[in-house]
Amino acid sequence: MPKISASKALSRFRVLDLSRVRAGPTCVRMLADFGADVIRVEPPPGVDPNEAMFAADRLGGDFQNLNRNKRSLTLNLKKPEALEIIKRLVKDADVLVENWRPDVKARLGLDYESLKKINPRIILASISGFGQDGPYAGRPGFDQIVQGMGGLMSVTGHPDQGPVRAGLAVADSSSGLYAALGIMTALLEREQSGVGQWVHVSLLHAQIAMMDFQVARYLNDGDIPVQVGNDHPTSSPMGLFSASDGYFNLGASGEGSWVRFAKAVGREDWLSDPEFKTEKLRVKHRERLNREIQEIFAPKTVAHWVDLLNEASVPAGPVYSVPQLFDDPQVQHLQVVAESTTPQGPTKQYITQPVHLERTPSAIARSAPDWGEHTDEILKEIGFDDDAIRSMRASGAV
C-alpha cells in the first residue's frame, strides 16, 4: 500500500513518534499534517498499564484529532528484537520524538549519544515535565501540575477566588508547539551542518514562556501579577460586559480605541474626565468606568453592540459556547473543521492546522490509525520478510 502524504511541504522527512498523551502527539501532529511520514510507535495492546489513558479509545475524538495522518507500528520495547527494529528505523529517519522520563531513553539505548552513532543526521526531540536534568528531572509532569508551578493558576480567575486552572491544556499544547518549532529549526540548521542535534522542551519552561507579559512586567518592573477576573491587568476598558441577551468582550485599550469607543457610545464627556485621561488612570478607576459602561450596554443586545463597536473600529466579540463557535460564519469561512473516514467506517471531524501555507498547505489525508495497522507494512519497508514478522509476533516483540 503506498504511503499517503498529507502535503508536499515535509513529505521528504520521516518521523518516529514514540510519544504519548498530549504534548508529544501535538508536536508530531503538526509535522504529519504538513506531510511528514510519521510512524507512531506504540506498545501492543495489553503491554502498557496506562494504555486506556492514551491509546485504547481509537475512535474517540481526542485520539483521532491528535493522531491523524500517522501510521501505527506496534513494538514491545521490553523485547530486544523490538529495540533492534527501532534502531533499524533510526538509520533512515530524520526525527525521533519521545516524552519519557529523562532516564528511560538512556536505559533503552535511545539517548542522543547512542542515536547519533547510528545516524549522525538524526534529530532527537525530548519533551519532559521539568527538563532533562536538575532537581525535578525525575518527577512526572502533568499539565495541571505545571499550570500551578508555572504561575498560570495564580493569575486565572477572580480576585480572592483562589487559584484556577485554565480550561485547556496550556502547558501540554504549548510545549508540543515549541517542540515542533525546535524540530523545524534543527532541520533547517542540518541543511548547513549536515548533522542532527538534541532538541528538548519542558512543560514547565513552556508554561512560563506562555506567561509572556505577565512575567516580563514582574521581572523588569516588579509588578506582581494577580487575579483580575475578566478584566485586563494593564488596560482599560477591556474585559467582559453583559448586554440584554448575553455576554460579550470589549477591547478598547490604547488611546485611539478609547476615543473611538467613547464617541461610539455617546459618552464624549469621558474624554475630558480627569479620572480617565490616561490608560493608567482608567485602570486605577476601572470600577467606576466599568460600572458606567455596563449601564450603557445593559438595555440592548450583544449583536447590536458587537456590530456598532466593530463599525467604529473598536474590538468587540460575543462569548460563545463550543457549539456556538462552530456556527460562526467566520469560523466556517476559515475551514476550521475537516472530515475523514476511519478504517472502521465512521466519519470523524478534526480541527485543521491554523497555520496556512498557500502553495503547500496542510491537510487531513487520513484518520488516526488502528492499533498496529501498519506494522507489517513498515517492517517490510525496512527489510523484514513474512517469516521474520511471524516470528516477531510469536515472541511478542510486535
Side-chain angles (χ1 to χ4, degrees):
M1 181 187 298
K3 294 191 291 290
I4 300 173
S5 181
S7 172
K8 293 180 179 179
L10 301 178
S11 60
R12 66 191 184 278
F13 298 116
R14 171 169 281 186
V15 179
L16 307 179
D17 180 11
L18 281 73
S19 67
R20 299 289 180 269
V21 192
R22 184 166 311 282
T26 296
C27 163
V28 180
R29 174 180 61 190
M30 191 162 203
L31 307 177
D33 285 358
F34 282 101
D37 175 22
V38 171
I39 298 174
R40 175 182 163 83
V41 181
E42 51 188 331
V47 171
D48 190 330
N50 295 316
E51 68 186 26
M53 184 171 69
F54 56 77
D57 187 7
R58 311 298 284 199
L59 291 177
D62 193 31
F63 182 88
Q64 286 287 320
N65 208 43
L66 282 171
N67 294 293
R68 77 274 184 112
N69 290 331
K70 302 177 185 180
R71 297 192 287 166
S72 173
L73 165 68
T74 51
L75 292 178
N76 182 354
L77 296 183
K78 296 176 182 178
K79 302 284 186 178
E81 311 98 287
L83 284 171
E84 288 307 312
I85 292 170
I86 287 287
K87 291 173 183 178
R88 190 181 293 199
L89 284 165
V90 165
K91 288 180 182 179
D92 296 314
D94 296 283
V95 181
L96 187 151
V97 180
E98 58 84 15
N99 60 351
W100 301 312
R101 293 194 197 184
D103 62 319
V104 172
K105 54 185 162 290
R107 191 166 68 243
L108 294 173
L110 299 177
D111 55 294
Y112 179 65
E113 292 301 314
S114 300
L115 294 177
K116 75 177 184 180
K117 291 176 184 175
I118 303 170
N119 177 2
R121 292 174 58 81
I122 194 73
I123 292 160
L124 171 63
S126 299
I127 304 172
S128 63
F130 299 99
Q132 295 299 308
D133 48 31
Y136 299 163
R139 289 187 181 185
F142 272 64
D143 181 86
Q144 184 160 344
I145 307 302
V146 174
Q147 282 195 33
M149 295 178 69
L152 179 60
M153 292 176 66
S154 75
V155 299
T156 304
H158 293 277
D160 303 321
Q161 180 180 7
V164 177
R165 66 179 290 273
L168 67 158
V170 179
D172 275 342
S173 297
S174 62
S175 59
L177 294 174
Y178 281 126
L181 176 59
I183 290 167
M184 294 303 298
T185 304
L187 287 169
L188 282 170
E189 191 280 335
R190 193 180 70 177
E191 293 180 359
Q192 292 181 312
S193 68
V195 296
Q197 58 183 301
W198 187 18
V199 175
H200 41 101
V201 176
S202 72
L203 272 66
L204 181 60
H205 197 160
Q207 177 62 84
I208 295 170
M210 289 294 289
M211 292 287 285
D212 196 41
F213 77 97
Q214 293 278 41
V215 292
R217 64 193 181 98
Y218 164 69
L219 290 172
N220 294 283
D221 306 321
D223 189 0
I224 300 175
V226 296
Q227 294 168 305
V228 291
N230 291 307
D231 292 320
H232 191 279
T234 61
S235 296
S236 181
M238 193 169 182
L240 183 73
F241 294 89
S242 60
S244 62
D245 60 346
Y247 294 97
F248 69 99
N249 282 307
L250 166 70
S253 63
E255 293 307 314
S257 290
W258 164 243
V259 171
R260 292 192 297 274
F261 171 67
K263 291 179 177 179
V265 298
R267 289 298 305 267
E268 292 187 46
D269 60 298
W270 283 340
L271 302 178
S272 58
D273 192 309
E275 291 191 346
F276 303 151
K277 289 293 288 183
T278 67
E279 185 95 71
K280 286 187 176 181
L281 285 169
R282 291 192 292 277
V283 171
K284 181 180 179 181
H285 299 287
R286 183 180 357 233
E287 186 175 345
R288 177 198 151 199
L289 178 57
N290 283 358
R291 185 174 61 251
E292 294 185 14
I293 291 171
Q294 183 57 65
E295 289 172 357
I296 294 169
F297 287 156
K300 296 184 178 179
T301 65
V302 168
H304 169 84
W305 292 116
V306 168
D307 289 345
L308 182 145
L309 292 170
N310 277 285
E311 286 172 8
S313 293
V314 177
V319 176
Y320 289 144
S321 66
V322 170
Q324 287 172 327
L325 75 87
F326 289 111
D327 292 331
D328 185 277
Q330 185 64 30
V331 173
Q332 294 175 357
H333 173 78
L334 291 172
Q335 297 180 320
V336 167
V337 178
E339 292 185 346
S340 181
T341 302
T342 63
Q344 298 88 343
T347 296
K348 294 293 180 177
Q349 294 184 307
Y350 305 86
I351 303 301
T352 56
Q353 283 291 342
V355 179
H356 299 277
L357 274 64
E358 284 293 313
R359 188 166 49 80
T360 56
S362 66
I364 296 175
R366 67 163 127 209
S367 62
D370 203 357
W371 222 322
E373 180 182 345
H374 307 94
T375 296
D376 289 9
E377 174 185 305
I378 294 165
L379 292 177
K380 288 178 180 179
E381 287 174 7
I382 58 175
F384 291 98
D385 60 21
D386 289 336
D387 288 340
I389 294 172
R390 277 194 292 271
S391 176
M392 285 186 285
R393 288 195 181 280
S395 72
V398 301

